[in-house]
């Protein structure tokens, strides 16, 4: 069964009604001792099993946790499990497993993690709260250095004090508690522009490094092809994913409130096949005055195969090497169609596998991976994980005859409603929000500041990441988009609706019912919206302020449409530029209503177009 215990009423505005508390001081935990409290905290949480409704109190101050004495579990985590033979046993700082009605409440408590650890894991539990706690790494697994001066031959740098390094025979490497870097994925932060962009550490690795002070290193080599400037900050990581910041799995009614994630390794907080999740005032950002730039190794808040309601309210993400928020399901590919009405389906991406993606009683949709359109539906009688990569599914009824090997399956029971409001997303080189769920989505009163790529991406694919599915009801309103998309120029649209359907079927759309209204777009380039394979798309009553230089002829239009139906772009207030144009392709003129200039209209496709 997906959940521990019986069902309970979800109360998103309450953590617990209990006044019954346990203080970790009774287990010998004192703040600011810098000793390993892993085993003592483990014992305190175990005691909570004996009661049904409880608050576990943590003290103000710092508590240190090491892998030694911590709970360990073998965990297969969506988008965070590399395909190799290495162990998937993770060290967990706070483990809540098989527990009901528990709130762990701190008083600005700082949990300092050592080595590689998951901050907290909530497994097979319900009605769980975490409140008033901050999590950080003694040695973050991203190293940071600031460029003090740069010429074509010499670069002087200052290494952040939290970034441990070693110089051997004139070559630099970074290390931590039980690890060292084997590769050097690099993203550069430009403080003067408040922008992050992809970079390379290769010229530093090929140069000679000399220590000139406690944290000062001078690199001498060939930097003639590099464009580094004084003040730039290089942030470097080994991209191998073997951990995550927090993990919520097979649980329901989970509320994180006033939680600060100062650093997360591997991936951020991953919620997997869980129901009703509330993130209130949850920040993924470095500690103030820490001097660090990066808080998350990859996505900050990642939701895979969840259901119920996902609420993200009054949160901040600042400093991530990947997307602040990603909500999706997973397409599994049919590899065998058995004669006994059973299917073998397979996880296709190398970072996602090893966990049940279907349960008995779930409804499924059969999907053509080229068109991303449904070819049939069924309800499951039985679902079995037969190995780390494959599941056997037995539908309750006959498999549709037009379903064949190579088609994909999405679990449409495990799809959530999403509300994201009152948040700020900044300091990321990639997108802001990735959203693919068929249930209602509301995005309102948020600020998207200098996201390197699209501030919002509505994708869906069955050939790369295999992240499903089709959006059917999305409202984006009263948000501010400022300076987004600079890493994707000239296609740096603030909002992109871009399903990866490699074949277009005339008249049949992947996404539908998307409304973008009353937002403010401050754009440094002209692109605002690109949309592909959408029916019922409305972009109305938005303010678009152009802050860049006048674009040259042939520059991408403000709005790009491909094979869409029933589109309205009207009533928008545009300033700073004479006008924005609309470019509709592969669609009939009658499918577009707009008061803006139209660049070109292509005749509707009569056949499939690859």
């Amino acid at each position: 069964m997906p959940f521990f215990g019986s069902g309970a009423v979800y109360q998103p505005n309450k953590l617990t009604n209990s006044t019954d508390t346990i203080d970790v001081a009774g287990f010998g935990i004192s703040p600011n001792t810098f000793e390993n409290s892993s085993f003592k905290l483990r014992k305190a949480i175990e005691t909570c099993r004996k009661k049904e409704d409880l608050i576990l109190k943590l003290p103000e101050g710092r508590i240190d946790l090491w892998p030694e004495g911590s709970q360990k579990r073998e965990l297969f985590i969506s988008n965070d499990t590399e395909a190799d033979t290495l162990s998937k046993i993770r060290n967990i700082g706070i483990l809540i497993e098989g527990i009901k009605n528990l709130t762990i409440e701190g008083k600005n408590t700082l949990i300092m993690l050592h080595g590689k650890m998951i901050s907290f894991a909530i497994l097979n539990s319900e009605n769980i709260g975490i409140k008033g706690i901050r999590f950080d790494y003694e040695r973050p697994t991203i190293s940071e250095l600031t460029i003090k001066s740069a010429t074509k031959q010499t670069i002087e740098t200052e290494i952040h004090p939290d970034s441990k390094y070693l110089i051997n025979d004139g070559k630099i490497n970074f290390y931590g508690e039980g690890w060292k870097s084997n590769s050097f994925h690099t993203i550069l932060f430009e403080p003067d522009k408040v922008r992050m962009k992809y970079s390379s550490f290769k010229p530093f690795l090929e140069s000679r490094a000399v220590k000139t002070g406690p944290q000062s290193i001078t690199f001498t080599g060939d930097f003639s092809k590099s464009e580094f400037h004084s003040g730039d900050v290089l942030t470097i990581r080994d991209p191998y994913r073997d951990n995550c910041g927090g993990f919520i799995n097979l649980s329901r009614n989970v509320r994180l409130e006033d939680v600060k994630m100062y650093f997360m390794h591997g991936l951020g907080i991953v919620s997997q096949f869980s129901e009703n999740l509330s993130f209130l005032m949850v920040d993924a950002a470095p500690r103030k005055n820490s001097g660090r730039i990066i808080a998350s190794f990859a996505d900050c808040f990642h939701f895979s195969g969840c259901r119920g309601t996902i609420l993200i309210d009054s949160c901040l993400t600042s400093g991530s090497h990947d997307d602040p928020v990603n909500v999706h399901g997973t397409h599994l590919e049919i590899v065998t169609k058995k004669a006994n009405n059973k299917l073998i389906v397979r996880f296709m991406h190398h970072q996602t596998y090893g966990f049940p993606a279907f349960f008995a009683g779930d409804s499924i949709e059969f999907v053509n991976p080229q068109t991303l359109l449904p070819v049939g539906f069924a309800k499951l009688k039985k679902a079995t994980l037969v190995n780390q990569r494959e599941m056997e599914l037995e539908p309750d009824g006959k498999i549709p005859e037009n379903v064949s090997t190579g088609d994909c399956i999405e679990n449409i029971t495990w799809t959530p409603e999403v509300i994201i409001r009152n948040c700020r997303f900044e300091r990321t080189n990639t997108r802001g929000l990735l959203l693919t769920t068929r249930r209602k989505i509301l995005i309102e009163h948020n600020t998207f500041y200098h996201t390197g790529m699209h501030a919002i991406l509505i994708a869906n694919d069955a050939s790369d990441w295999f992240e499903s599915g089709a959006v059917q009801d999305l409202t984006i309103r009263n948000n501010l988009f400022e300076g987004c998309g600079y890493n994707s120029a000239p296609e740096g649209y603030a909002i992109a609706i871009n399903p990866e359907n490699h074949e277009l079927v005339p008249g049949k759309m992947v996404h539908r019912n998307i409304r973008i209204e009353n937002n403010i777009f401050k754009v440094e380039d002209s692109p605002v919206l690109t949309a592909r394979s959408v029916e019922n798309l409305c972009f109305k009553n938005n303010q678009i302020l152009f802050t860049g230089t006048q674009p040259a002829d042939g520059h991408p239009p403000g709005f790009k449409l491909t094979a869409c139906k029933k589109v309205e772009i009207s009533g928008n207030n545009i300033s700073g530029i004479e006008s924005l144009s609309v470019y509709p392709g592969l669609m009939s003129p009658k499918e577009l209503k707009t008061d803006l200039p139209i660049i070109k209209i292509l005749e509707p496709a009569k056949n499939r177009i690859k």
Side-chain angles (χ1 to χ4, degrees), residues 211-259:
K211 184 175 181 178
T212 56
Q215 298 299 128
S216 299
I217 299 179
T218 297
F219 295 89
T220 303
D222 182 6
F223 296 98
S224 60
K225 297 179 181 179
S226 304
E227 295 184 358
F228 298 115
H229 305 94
S230 177
D232 289 348
V233 181
L234 295 175
T235 64
I236 307 140
R237 65 179 166 94
D238 186 330
Y240 181 81
R241 296 186 184 184
D242 56 357
N243 214 64
C244 67
F247 188 43
I248 303 169
N249 187 46
L250 297 175
S251 297
R252 65 179 168 192
N253 303 348
V254 175
R255 177 183 171 106
L256 308 181
E257 180 180 0
D258 186 24
V259 172

Side-chain angles (χ1 to χ4, degrees), residues 264-549:
M264 296 182 284
H265 167 69
L267 200 56
I269 300 174
V270 180
S271 302
Q272 181 173 290
F273 285 92
S274 293
E275 178 179 357
N276 294 337
L277 306 169
S278 296
F279 288 26
L280 309 177
M281 296 181 291
V282 179
D283 292 354
R287 270 185 290 168
K288 291 182 179 179
N289 304 318
S290 70
R292 298 206 310 251
I293 299 300
I294 302 299
S296 185
F297 185 101
D299 297 354
C300 295
F301 309 142
H302 194 106
F303 303 85
S304 175
C306 294
R307 71 179 183 184
T309 300
I310 294 172
L311 171 63
I312 303 174
D313 194 342
S314 304
C315 296
L316 166 68
T317 68
S318 181
S320 62
H321 267 204
D322 216 326
D323 313 309
V325 179
N326 189 351
V327 181
H328 66 88
T330 302
H331 281 127
L332 273 70
E333 184 176 301
I334 300 173
V335 293
T336 304
K337 187 177 180 182
K338 295 185 174 182
N340 59 354
N341 202 48
K342 293 181 180 180
L343 299 168
I344 299 295
V345 296
R346 183 176 176 83
F347 289 100
M348 299 303 295
H349 194 272
H350 71 278
Q351 291 175 332
T352 299
Y353 65 96
F355 55 86
F358 301 92
F359 304 94
D362 288 348
S363 295
I364 61 173
E365 180 178 85
F366 298 96
V367 177
N368 181 309
Q370 297 302 310
T371 66
L372 295 179
L373 297 174
V375 295
F377 298 86
K379 190 172 183 178
L380 293 180
K381 179 179 179 181
K382 190 176 181 181
T384 306
L385 186 68
V386 294
N387 57 55
Q388 290 182 0
R389 284 287 181 177
E390 295 176 333
M391 292 194 71
E392 182 179 79
L393 306 181
E394 182 179 353
D396 185 8
K398 194 173 182 180
I399 298 170
E401 291 184 1
N402 60 329
V403 171
S404 61
T405 57
D407 288 340
C408 288
I409 297 181
E410 179 187 9
N411 190 331
I412 60 176
T413 292
W414 289 87
T415 52
E417 293 189 3
V418 178
I419 302 170
I420 302 176
R421 63 192 182 201
N422 307 318
C423 299
R424 181 179 176 90
F425 306 104
E426 65 178 22
R427 203 187 296 170
T428 180
N429 60 301
T430 55
R431 287 92 21 147
L433 311 180
L434 275 68
L435 303 167
T436 47
T437 176
R438 66 186 55 232
R439 301 188 193 275
K440 187 174 182 179
I441 307 172
L442 174 62
I443 311 301
E444 64 177 356
H445 300 294
N446 303 288
T447 296
F448 301 87
Y449 185 74
H450 288 194
T451 60
M453 299 177 185
H454 315 297
I456 298 177
L457 171 62
I458 311 301
N460 188 13
D461 85 277
S463 57
D464 185 12
W465 285 92
F466 287 81
E467 293 181 357
S468 58
V471 166
Q472 299 184 1
D473 186 347
L474 166 62
T475 299
I476 302 170
R477 68 190 183 198
N478 301 315
N479 302 282
L480 171 62
F481 300 85
E482 184 168 354
C484 301
Y486 56 86
N487 276 342
S488 301
E491 297 288 315
Y493 293 90
I495 297 176
I497 307 164
N498 191 28
E500 296 180 34
N501 50 339
H502 305 295
E503 294 182 5
L504 298 171
V505 179
K508 294 186 178 182
M509 307 292 109
V510 174
H511 298 306
R512 55 186 47 83
N513 303 327
I514 297 176
R515 297 163 297 281
I516 305 169
E517 302 174 334
N518 300 309
N519 302 281
I520 298 174
F521 295 85
K522 293 183 179 180
V523 294
E524 298 176 9
D525 217 332
S526 58
V528 177
L529 170 70
T530 181
R532 173 186 172 92
S533 194
V534 184
E535 181 174 4
N536 289 331
L537 170 62
C538 181
F539 188 98
K540 291 180 63 177
N541 302 325
N542 299 282
Q543 295 183 48
I544 304 169
L545 174 62
F546 184 71
T547 61
T549 58

